[in-house]
């Protein structure tokens, strides 16, 4: 789908801050409010803007501990459907938060969330690795999140300026 420059500009603005008002977007792109609302509605209708989300730093919330894992999956693609069929089977699991087709040493990258390492291990051994097309998996546990979707976590407010005295 070919988008106009204004539509691309709106998509970029919303990607950075989904809470920005339509009025502010209109000012930023130099368009009137009604036209801006029409353009946003079009982007939503054609699924360019798929969903509005928030980034939450759950490490700061007591009682909301969990485990996030990135799993590299090597699969055998099926004739006629390639990787799509196995990808659909994998992304239907409730534990799966993201799924990507990758180039390189493995075929799919699966990001899952669980309450414990044992829960993630059970998912891999009982659900993921038992699928017909799955050849092998490698699981990586995320220990700390520094940056997510362009947002830096735990920025230091320390003053880095050198003290100058007379």
């Amino acid at each position: 789908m070919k988008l106009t420059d204004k539509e691309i500009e709106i998509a970029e603005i919303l990607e950075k801050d989904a809470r920005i008002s339509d009025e502010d977007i209109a000012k930023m792109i130099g368009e009137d409010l009604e036209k801006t609302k029409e353009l946003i509605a079009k982007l939503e209708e054609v699924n360019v803007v798929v969903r509005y989300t928030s980034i939450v730093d759950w490490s700061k919330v007591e009682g909301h501990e969990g485990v996030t894992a990135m799993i590299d999956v090597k699969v055998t693609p099926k004739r006629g459907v390639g990787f799509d069929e196995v990808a659909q089977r994998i992304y239907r699991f409730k534990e799966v938060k993201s799924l990507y087709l990758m180039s390189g040493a493995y075929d799919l990258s699966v990001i899952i969330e669980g309450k414990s390492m044992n829960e993630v291990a059970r998912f891999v051994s009982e659900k993921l690795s038992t699928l017909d097309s799955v050849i092998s998996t490698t699981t990586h546990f995320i220990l700390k999140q520094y940056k997510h979707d362009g947002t830096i976590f735990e920025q230091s407010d320390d003053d880095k300026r050198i003290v100058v005295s007379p």
Side-chain angles (χ1 to χ4, degrees):
M1 153 172 274
K2 182 82 169 141
L3 297 180
T4 66
D5 290 343
K6 297 262 186 201
E7 291 167 335
I8 292 170
E9 199 172 352
I10 290 171
E12 289 171 345
I13 291 167
L14 288 173
E15 185 177 38
K16 287 182 186 141
D17 183 3
R19 292 185 61 173
I20 193 165
S21 70
D22 294 349
E23 292 83 4
D24 287 343
I25 294 172
K27 288 176 191 170
M28 292 170 79
I29 67 168
E31 194 64 71
D32 66 78
L33 181 58
E34 287 309 311
K35 179 66 175 174
T36 301
K37 286 182 178 183
E38 288 174 20
L39 293 171
I40 293 170
K42 177 189 172 193
L43 292 172
E44 293 169 346
E45 184 180 312
V46 298
N47 284 328
V48 169
V49 174
V50 180
R51 191 170 96 169
Y52 297 92
T53 63
S54 298
I55 297 173
V56 178
D57 187 355
W58 289 110
S59 68
K60 293 184 176 170
V61 180
E62 276 187 49
H64 200 282
E65 291 78 19
V67 176
T68 303
M70 300 175 81
I71 306 166
D72 303 337
V73 184
K74 191 164 220 21
V75 299
T76 303
K78 292 195 175 179
R79 176 169 279 140
V81 293
F83 296 100
D84 294 345
E85 185 178 288
V86 70
Q88 288 174 354
R89 291 188 69 191
I90 292 170
Y91 70 59
R92 287 189 178 130
F93 291 119
K94 67 176 176 43
E95 298 89 347
V96 175
K97 300 302 171 199
S98 301
L99 176 62
Y100 305 97
L101 178 62
M102 306 295 291
S103 65
Y106 55 93
D107 303 307
L108 299 173
S109 179
V110 183
I111 299 175
I112 71 164
E113 292 178 356
K115 292 179 180 154
S116 66
M117 291 175 96
N118 282 338
E119 189 175 296
V120 171
R122 274 193 307 279
F123 170 80
V124 173
S125 65
E126 295 171 9
K127 294 181 179 179
L128 186 59
S129 64
T130 60
L131 296 175
D132 291 339
S133 298
V134 173
I135 298 170
S136 66
T137 64
T138 303
T139 304
H140 310 274
F141 290 97
I142 295 177
L143 303 177
K144 183 175 180 179
Q145 187 168 250
Y146 294 100
K147 187 175 182 177
H148 179 78
D149 283 345
T151 300
I152 298 171
F153 291 82
E154 304 234 1
Q155 291 189 41
S156 174
D157 290 334
D158 295 341
D159 191 351
K160 304 284 187 206
R161 294 180 290 176
I162 299 172
V163 177
V164 178
S165 58

